[in-house]
Amino acid sequence: MAGNKGPLPPEVIERHNREHADAIAQDYEALSRTLARRHIDLSAIEKKLAQFSLALPSWGLGTGGTRFGRFPIPGSPTNIHEKLADAAVVEQLGRLTPRVSLHFPWDRIEDPAALRGEAENLGLSFDAVNSNTFQDQPGQGHSYRHGSLSAVSAQVRDQAIAHNIDCIRLGEKLGSRALTVWVGDGANFPGQHSLGEALERYIESARAIYAALPDGWRLFIEHKFYEPAFYATVIADWGTSFLVAKELGASAQCLVDLGHHAQGTNIEQIVARLARFGKLGGFHFNDSKYGDDDLDAGAINPHQLFLVFNELVECELAMEGFAPAYMIDQSHNVTDPIESLLLSAEAIAGAYARALLVDRAALAECRSRNDVIGAFRTLRRAYETDAGPLLTVVRMALGGAADPLALYRQSGWRAERARERKSSGAGAGIV
Ligand code: RM4
Ligand code: MN
Ligand code: MN
């Protein structure tokens, strides 16, 4: 919890909350009565919700845009310091996102220890660090045009390995505990490379990164089925990701980005499989209609999000110490990123809350009798319950706002930043 730290004056939040207190109490009362009839223990659920948290992607605080262009709004952050300030606003109002996940070299910093102090003063800390060997950087010795960790050239592979180890070293100074590796490596044409050898080269490179992991760190392998490789991506699916993680060892786990699967894929089943074998490292939450759209979590398929959390709650109940890393990975093209992130965090926590509302005993009973409709209805009843009042009460108890989006809009935060921040410029690209 961020306590009273954060860029907005606490009195503003307190005043706003007083204005909303009566209406919220009434809604909460009504929900408690409904849930009491279902014998659901609200206090246990509130405790879980109060502990739930997500990491914000540093790259999601800027206007990501698409490869066709960016349309940043005035007051958009232009560097990591400004991004941290915006992240602190998201945390202060929503109380769900106390950590930020950095991406190197996009967030390249001279003094990581100082940045750590800056974050702490804002009520934030750092989550997994992300490496980037899918783009060339000015002055770089070797190009990633033909791949990075799986490249045919040993020099390219060594450079990519060294970059990942640099990210770990930076992460240590920031207080991070994990490295997320996503590579764009793959083939655009049949015959371009050996499908088998490319994976072997990747595994060999990943071993060198794994060997550099400090104690207590985890390596997250992120798969994605296509783009930028349009024929055969090296780490295309959860099966490949799982095999690599298994090859590397216990500290290597798989990261599930919700947008990185073919349409129709049963992602909740992937989640259950990975968890069962101790390889579910974490998530990049977002939503997708066609491909890796990086749309706001829950914007397209909120039911899928709920079903994913339904599996996660089953795992929480069945497995001691089950704690995947929850991160958001979105690209905001036409919205104010703070607004998107506030709503996304709420949608994700809402899916978790509704999964917690599933009557597990009733579900188990239906399953044991092969009562298909009964089981489905048990899930649907929870899915259709508006957990909003519950989330609001928990958020306010943690010092957040009754209505984070409304208060953010009233605060004038972006307009004030527009007066002091330089223009972030248009053009293509993600930061
Ligand atoms: C990729 C993948 C990675 C993210 C980059 C920006 O598609 O989702 O997680 O680091 O985009
Ligand atoms: Mn991702
Ligand atoms: Mn992606």
Side-chain angles (χ1 to χ4, degrees):
M1 169 178 160
N4 276 333
K5 292 172 174 177
L8 302 172
E11 316 78 76
V12 172
I13 301 179
E14 284 156 22
R15 193 180 333 119
H16 163 91
N17 286 358
R18 275 196 302 277
E19 285 161 15
H20 286 75
D22 286 348
I24 286 162
Q26 284 167 23
D27 291 352
Y28 181 76
E29 251 317 291
L31 179 62
S32 321
R33 274 199 297 272
T34 311
L35 296 178
R37 275 196 297 275
R38 293 192 218 156
H39 310 292
I40 285 173
D41 177 0
L42 260 193
S43 64
I45 292 179
E46 282 169 24
K47 212 182 271 167
K48 289 194 166 205
L49 287 176
Q51 283 159 4
F52 180 79
S53 68
L54 294 153
L56 293 174
S58 66
W59 61 104
L61 289 151
T63 311
T66 68
R67 64 182 182 277
F68 300 103
R70 293 171 66 232
F71 303 95
I73 52 173
S76 294
T78 57
N79 56 46
I80 185 57
H81 309 285
E82 294 175 354
K83 286 179 182 181
L84 283 185
D86 285 8
V89 172
V90 177
E91 165 57 8
Q92 200 182 3
L93 296 173
R95 301 291 162 158
L96 285 166
T97 54
R99 297 179 305 281
V100 180
S101 190
L102 295 190
H103 216 307
F104 298 119
W106 290 340
D107 296 320
R108 174 64 75 208
I109 20 141
E110 295 308 320
D111 188 346
L115 195 75
R116 188 177 182 174
E118 190 178 323
E120 271 164 17
N121 287 334
L122 288 164
L124 299 170
S125 61
F126 291 106
D127 207 272
V129 286
N130 301 260
S131 60
N132 177 346
T133 59
F134 47 87
Q135 288 174 330
D136 282 349
Q137 306 300 329
Q140 178 179 308
H142 306 279
S143 171
Y144 294 128
R145 177 180 178 133
H146 296 297
S148 59
L149 294 177
S150 76
V152 173
S153 153
Q155 287 168 316
V156 173
R157 294 200 302 276
D158 287 347
Q159 176 183 283
I161 293 166
H163 166 67
N164 276 279
I165 295 175
D166 278 353
C167 289
I168 294 174
R169 300 293 165 245
L170 278 168
E172 282 187 286
K173 298 193 181 107
L174 292 163
S176 302
R177 304 286 300 262
L179 169 72
T180 300
V181 180
W182 174 73
V183 295
D185 291 29
N188 275 280
F189 287 86
Q192 182 181 331
H193 68 200
S194 155
L195 300 179
E197 286 169 15
L199 180 59
E200 270 175 26
R201 289 190 296 265
Y202 176 94
I203 293 174
E204 194 190 302
S205 301
R207 265 194 234 286
I209 300 168
Y210 187 82
L213 276 189
D215 277 354
W217 270 59
R218 285 187 289 169
L219 177 64
F220 297 142
I221 315 283
E222 182 176 356
H223 64 272
K224 167 163 157 167
F225 72 131
Y226 80 102
E227 195 198 20
F230 289 99
Y231 166 62
T233 291
V234 177
I235 310 296
D237 53 19
W238 74 276
T240 312
S241 173
F242 179 81
L243 289 171
V244 172
K246 204 154 183 271
E247 283 285 309
L248 296 181
S251 306
Q253 292 183 312
C254 308
L255 186 133
V256 178
D257 181 313
L258 294 191
H260 288 192
H261 307 86
Q263 285 184 4
T265 301
N266 186 335
I267 300 177
E268 57 272 22
Q269 192 172 30
I270 293 174
V271 169
R273 295 279 186 276
L274 289 175
R276 163 70 181 74
F277 293 97
K279 286 296 185 193
L280 182 66
F283 286 86
H284 274 179
F285 289 113
N286 53 40
D287 216 336
S288 146
K289 175 82 178 155
Y290 301 106
D292 187 22
D293 305 339
D294 286 337
L295 295 174
D296 291 14
I300 305 294
N301 196 344
H303 192 233
Q304 174 180 266
L305 192 58
F306 164 74
L307 293 175
V308 165
F309 272 101
N310 181 50
E311 295 306 319
L312 292 170
V313 168
E314 282 206 0
C315 294
E316 265 181 19
L317 293 170
M319 297 176 204
E320 190 76 30
F322 179 75
Y326 296 134
M327 298 174 252
I328 297 178
D329 178 7
Q330 298 177 172
S331 181
H332 308 111
N333 309 324
V334 294
T335 56
D336 177 332
I338 291 182
E339 295 195 356
S340 269
L341 290 166
L342 281 170
L343 289 199
S344 300
E346 207 174 312
I348 297 163
Y352 178 46
R354 289 189 282 171
L356 289 169
L357 295 178
V358 171
D359 184 339
R360 298 281 150 194
L363 185 61
E365 218 257 323
C366 289
R367 286 172 174 176
S368 73
R369 286 188 289 106
N370 290 317
D371 178 356
V372 180
I373 282 292
F376 172 60
R377 185 174 179 231
T378 306
L379 282 193
R380 174 151 287 183
R381 186 175 272 152
Y383 177 64
E384 287 180 344
T385 305
D386 176 8
L390 206 54
L391 293 173
T392 305
V393 162
V394 170
R395 180 169 61 244
M396 287 167 74
L398 294 171
D403 184 339
L405 181 66
L407 185 53
Y408 170 68
R409 290 188 163 187
Q410 266 168 37
S411 75
W413 171 262
R414 193 63 80 194
E416 273 174 42
R417 302 289 80 71
R419 282 192 284 277
E420 48 183 65
R421 290 179 181 170
K422 63 182 192 329
S423 157
S424 86
I430 203 159
V431 272

